[in-house]
Amino acid sequence: GGQGPALLASLVVAAEDQGVSPSALRGHLHLDPLGALARSGALPADLSATWDQTADALRWCQDNAPGLRPLMVDGAPYHGAGATEAQDVAFLVSSAVETLRALEARGVKPADAAANLSFSVSLGCDFLLGIAKLRALRWLWSRVGEVSGFTASMDLHVAPSERILTQRDPWVNILRGTAVGLAGAIGGADHIHIAPFDRAIGEPEELGRRVARNTQTV
């Protein structure tokens, strides 16, 4: 969220305390000012200052921790608020384009920003519609790259929509998680997250976590 750049500094300090060089770090930082603003309605600083911090974090990662992918556009705030699949894709692409523009205004080339950007997509129970959604998103992003003068592969993360997880009769969430995983695999996701079937109730128990891991493995 909006605390991302500050938490990056904390991560680096914690890693160095463990004897881990920043260059050895791997992962995603999920710096998404627009998504954080959409989710909570506020940021720790104004949006312009947050973009400044995001650009600085990106440059630092490029120079010191190339294994970290700092940027992300997350569709969960929009999907969770009721966006249709088509609207969700529109929000994701428009957020990504606005991210490129905001960082370009701060001296970051669109190609560099795109190479450090990931997409997080929320999927529902209709796996055919989910597959179409992921493929449409990939096609649109390639089109953005074409008209913007860069070629960047899409790093695509898939997670279950919060609105499909039920508290009553939670075992049906096993089937819903399976549909999300299948859509992600066929749709070409790079990372797939399967939620424990009891996550909507509270802290997942061991059975929920084990079933989620086994589903993902299959």
Side-chain angles (χ1 to χ4, degrees):
Q3 300 286 357
L7 293 175
L8 169 60
S10 298
L11 172 65
V12 172
V13 171
E16 291 178 341
D17 286 345
Q18 297 294 321
V20 178
S21 168
S23 62
L25 296 175
R26 301 288 183 272
H28 296 70
L29 299 181
H30 202 153
L31 302 185
D32 181 16
L34 294 178
L37 185 59
R39 185 185 298 275
S40 65
L43 292 169
D46 63 61
L47 184 57
S48 178
T50 303
W51 281 124
D52 292 341
Q53 297 169 3
T54 302
D56 291 341
L58 170 57
R59 294 189 186 95
W60 187 90
C61 288
Q62 286 182 302
D63 295 338
N64 301 281
L68 293 178
R69 187 181 285 257
L71 306 176
M72 179 173 281
V73 289
D74 186 2
Y78 318 109
H79 190 80
T84 65
E85 306 303 324
Q87 289 169 340
D88 205 11
V89 170
F91 279 121
L92 283 162
V93 174
S94 61
S95 295
V97 170
E98 181 60 25
T99 297
L100 297 184
R101 289 173 175 164
L103 294 177
E104 185 177 26
R106 289 159 178 80
V108 178
K109 296 179 181 179
D112 291 337
N116 286 277
L117 179 67
S118 299
F119 289 77
S120 182
V121 183
S122 297
L123 295 184
C125 301
D126 188 331
F127 67 89
L128 292 177
L129 189 59
I131 295 167
K133 177 179 177 178
L134 297 178
R135 292 185 175 181
L137 181 61
R138 282 190 178 278
W139 185 88
L140 289 170
W141 183 237
S142 69
R143 177 62 178 152
V144 170
E146 181 181 347
V147 300
S148 301
F150 66 83
T151 300
S153 60
M154 172 181 275
D155 186 80
L156 187 56
H157 173 78
V158 162
S161 167
E162 293 289 344
R163 69 191 195 199
I164 69 170
L165 300 178
T166 181
Q167 292 181 326
R168 292 187 174 88
D169 191 18
W171 299 276
V172 74
N173 293 330
I174 298 175
L175 300 177
R176 294 172 177 176
T178 301
V180 169
L182 178 62
I186 297 176
D190 298 285
H191 323 279
I192 300 172
H193 168 64
I194 304 295
F197 68 84
D198 53 351
R199 192 180 74 181
I201 301 173
E203 185 69 22
E205 296 184 352
E206 172 55 29
L207 177 61
R209 296 194 299 270
R210 182 167 63 84
V211 171
R213 289 194 301 270
N214 289 346
T215 302
Q216 187 165 354
T217 300
V218 171

